[in-house]
Amino acid sequence: AAAGYPFPPTPYGGSYQPSQGSDDDWDDDWDDSSTVADEPGALSSSYPDYETGAGVAPGRYRLSTRSELSLGSRGGGAHPAGHPHPPGGGGAKSSATVSRNLNRFSTFVKSGGEAFVLGEALGFVKDGDKLCVVLGPRGPEWQENPYPFQCSIEDPTKQTKFKGMKSYIAYKLVPSHTGQQVHRRYKHFDWLYGRLAEKFPVISVPHLPEKQATGRFEEDFISKRRKGLAWWMDHMCSHPVLAQCDAFQHFLTCPSTDEKAWKQGKRKAEKDEMVGANFFLTISVPTGPGANLDLQEVESQVDGFKAFTKKMDESALQLNHTANEFARKQVTGFKKEYQKVGHSFKCLSQAFELDQQAFSAGLNQAIAFTAEAYDAIGDLFADQPRQDLDPVMDLLALYQGHLANFPDIIHVQKGALTKVKESKRHVEEGKMELQKAEGIQERCNIISFATLAEINHFHKIRVRDFKSQMQHFLQQQILFFQKVTQKLEEALHKYDSV
């Protein structure tokens, strides 16, 4: 049932459109012989290097999350925080450490969140790697992209390599900030998604349309995938952090014919050191009066958002199921029923024609026209889901991916809060120095700021997307019923001269 619909079969998968789907990318590993779409003509990228402070060499800053001094030492001996004092050095408080998570597969651990909160992250942060959270009217927000842009995805074309032995679909991308078109295959999107999902543990990287097993070159499948990729691209360009990421910009701007440049950018992205615990070092948060987060308030906000995403997921699943069922009825049942009515009117007009009376010819023709009108209305019903219900289900599929991302994002933030509570308890019991606990809280604040900024961004684009999609849906519904009314009015006027 999910065939022809390049999104996951569960929970949103059932589609009324019968189609076989396949994907050309399952066996296509990243080999050095072919990494970008083969494309005639040489293209150049003119993406400007937007650096703050033109002419100034970007500074490199060494940031360490370790506290430099341990206040509990006696005799002036300073030790890095996190390391117990040597025996006999006093400072019993320093011997207590916040316990590590025993589940090494938890998202909190794998994302590097635990290592960061415990002060173990150590790395160099360049100016270009800094991510800023600012205080907006709705609370913490990602700093807006100073150079916003869009990117269209057009003209999916079938191309070949290895002298025609291998076929694939390439999509034309045209970013508005360069105006230079590039061609990318699905596997390029897939590679980029993997890099970004690994790099940004507290950002919801939109999911790509799913791969399929068969029918890779069918028109319906290609059209459906292009629409899914267009939604994906819109969410990437709309995100202040993802849109400015080096790997994404490389993906958008590297000329399709320049294999060497592509490989260099690809390897650079794969060697990025600002991942895991080091990623959290790149986040810059508000400071000064009014910039302190209340942990209980943060926890309440995150719990509220968690409940919201659960309810949204359930309602979106229900809407998708209802829309899918309604579309299926329109394509099959409604069309069949209207055309059955049309056929009955046609039979009546044919029966009337047997009277061979000249004065009844107009009536016979009017009834025959009514039959044709109902037949045409049946076709309108069958075509309509493509105009209104399909786009709604495309949007729901995209948001299904976002909703699937947030449990892990929330888990990272919850893990950080747990460490803060544990450290406060140790301070109260006299087992830990206050400065060390404050360091843990400070680093937890960074994760909290980023999480709240991401939640704010999600709500912002959700309102934008669903407003736009519901307007489109209702506009298409109105046009549809206007067409139906027009057909009925035309049929009605045929009786005027009878």
Side-chain angles (χ1 to χ4, degrees):
Y5 210 81
F7 298 105
T10 54
Y12 292 113
S15 174
Y16 58 87
Q17 290 181 340
S19 165
Q20 294 75 33
S22 165
D23 204 273
D24 52 320
D25 305 312
W26 285 112
D27 59 338
D28 212 346
D29 293 325
W30 278 96
D31 53 85
D32 281 346
S33 61
S34 174
T35 51
V36 284
D38 304 320
E39 175 193 17
L43 295 172
S44 64
S45 164
S46 63
Y47 180 60
D49 187 14
Y50 295 121
E51 280 288 349
T52 51
V56 179
R60 291 173 65 89
Y61 301 93
R62 180 179 180 276
L63 290 187
S64 169
T65 59
R66 294 190 185 280
S67 304
E68 294 303 323
L69 296 174
S70 176
L71 294 181
S73 60
R74 291 185 192 170
H79 300 271
H83 294 278
H85 283 263
K93 288 184 181 180
S94 300
S95 62
T97 56
V98 176
S99 63
R100 298 182 70 83
N101 194 320
L102 295 177
N103 178 10
R104 308 318 293 162
F105 296 102
S106 82
T107 308
F108 183 46
V109 176
K110 288 197 297 180
S111 69
E114 183 184 62
F116 172 72
V117 169
L118 295 182
E120 295 168 4
L122 193 64
F124 294 94
V125 180
K126 300 194 294 287
D127 265 352
D129 288 329
K130 286 184 179 178
L131 308 177
C132 291
V133 178
V134 296
L135 283 175
R138 295 181 298 273
E141 296 177 351
W142 295 113
Q143 190 173 53
E144 284 299 320
N145 181 0
Y147 306 100
F149 64 93
Q150 296 297 318
C151 179
S152 62
I153 298 183
E154 304 158 7
D155 303 338
T157 53
K158 187 175 179 181
Q159 299 187 5
T160 60
K161 65 178 184 179
F162 303 137
K163 296 182 179 178
M165 293 176 66
K166 173 80 177 170
S167 299
Y168 58 87
I169 300 296
Y171 300 86
K172 182 173 82 176
L173 278 57
V174 185
S176 64
H177 62 320
T178 67
Q180 300 289 332
Q181 67 178 37
V182 295
H183 286 72
R184 298 288 183 255
R185 297 171 55 184
Y186 181 86
K187 71 171 187 176
H188 301 122
F189 285 90
D190 201 35
W191 167 81
L192 177 65
Y193 169 79
R195 299 309 315 153
L196 299 180
E198 180 186 2
K199 180 173 173 63
F200 297 113
V202 290
I203 290 175
S204 178
V205 180
H207 289 205
L208 288 166
E210 289 289 320
K211 293 186 176 184
Q212 293 209 157
T214 54
R216 59 195 177 199
F217 300 123
E218 288 190 2
E219 194 174 329
D220 279 353
F221 170 72
I222 293 168
S223 171
K224 201 75 175 168
R225 171 173 276 184
R226 190 200 67 77
K227 289 173 185 173
L229 290 175
W231 266 119
W232 181 88
M233 182 61 74
D234 176 72
H235 273 221
M236 289 294 296
C237 295
S238 299
H239 198 288
V241 174
L242 298 177
Q244 298 182 82
C245 172
D246 287 347
F248 183 49
Q249 286 298 332
H250 174 66
F251 171 83
L252 291 179
T253 60
C254 181
S256 307
T257 51
D258 195 337
E259 292 283 344
K260 186 177 179 182
W262 175 263
K263 289 176 191 173
Q264 285 174 344
K266 177 178 172 289
R267 287 177 184 137
K268 182 184 174 187
E270 288 165 355
K271 290 177 180 177
D272 186 0
E273 293 180 0
M274 293 296 113
V275 296
N278 283 352
F279 160 75
F280 295 100
L281 291 175
T282 66
I283 301 172
S284 166
V285 300
T287 56
N292 291 328
L293 292 175
D294 180 84
L295 287 183
Q296 283 187 324
E297 195 178 319
V298 171
E299 193 166 19
S300 173
Q301 283 181 274
V302 172
D303 284 343
F305 181 72
K306 186 177 180 181
F308 166 83
T309 54
K310 185 174 184 293
K311 193 69 179 173
M312 180 179 171
D313 196 41
E314 290 168 359
S315 60
L317 178 62
Q318 181 186 7
L319 174 57
N320 188 82
H321 175 76
T322 304
N324 198 62
E325 187 65 17
F326 190 53
R328 188 186 62 77
K329 286 177 181 176
Q330 284 186 237
V331 170
T332 54
F334 290 11
K335 176 180 178 179
K336 188 177 176 183
E337 293 301 319
Y338 271 86
Q339 291 182 343
K340 196 186 289 184
V341 172
H343 180 69
S344 299
F345 281 134
K346 189 175 181 182
C347 289
L348 181 65
S349 73
Q350 288 170 342
F352 281 6
E353 284 170 8
L354 294 176
D355 72 348
Q356 296 181 345
Q357 299 293 329
F359 63 80
S360 67
L363 174 67
N364 299 344
Q365 289 168 4
I367 294 176
F369 189 87
T370 304
E372 290 171 7
Y374 269 79
D375 205 49
I377 290 171
D379 286 332
L380 286 175
F381 267 102
D383 292 339
Q384 188 56 23
R386 200 172 298 175
Q387 313 302 325
D388 51 26
L389 289 170
D390 272 12
V392 169
M393 289 189 280
D394 287 346
L395 181 67
L396 292 173
L398 178 81
Y399 272 85
Q400 177 206 7
H402 280 304
L403 293 169
N405 288 340
F406 276 108
D408 280 350
I409 292 171
I410 290 169
H411 182 73
V412 172
Q413 201 276 333
K414 287 279 189 186
L417 277 177
T418 302
K419 298 300 179 192
V420 171
K421 291 175 182 175
E422 207 176 315
S423 67
K424 283 186 172 180
R425 195 170 65 249
H426 283 326
V427 170
E428 288 167 6
E429 294 169 355
K431 295 178 180 176
M432 180 183 282
E433 299 159 0
L434 181 61
Q435 186 189 20
K436 189 173 175 185
E438 285 173 347
I440 289 173
Q441 179 162 340
E442 194 179 308
R443 293 186 287 275
C444 172
N445 271 352
I446 290 173
I447 293 178
S448 296
F449 265 115
T451 305
L452 293 177
E454 188 60 18
I455 288 172
N456 262 332
H457 178 74
F458 175 79
H459 283 314
K460 186 178 172 183
I461 58 166
R462 175 181 59 83
V463 171
R464 180 201 71 176
D465 289 346
F466 279 87
K467 172 192 172 182
S468 167
Q469 201 60 71
M470 290 307 296
Q471 285 175 326
H472 175 81
F473 173 76
L474 292 171
Q475 285 161 355
Q476 291 298 320
Q477 282 275 291
I478 290 166
L479 286 173
F480 167 68
F481 285 109
Q482 283 174 343
K483 288 177 189 173
V484 172
T485 303
Q486 188 182 349
K487 293 285 181 190
L488 296 174
E489 285 176 344
E490 286 172 4
L492 176 62
H493 290 318
K494 293 293 180 183
Y495 295 87
D496 292 346
S497 57
V498 173

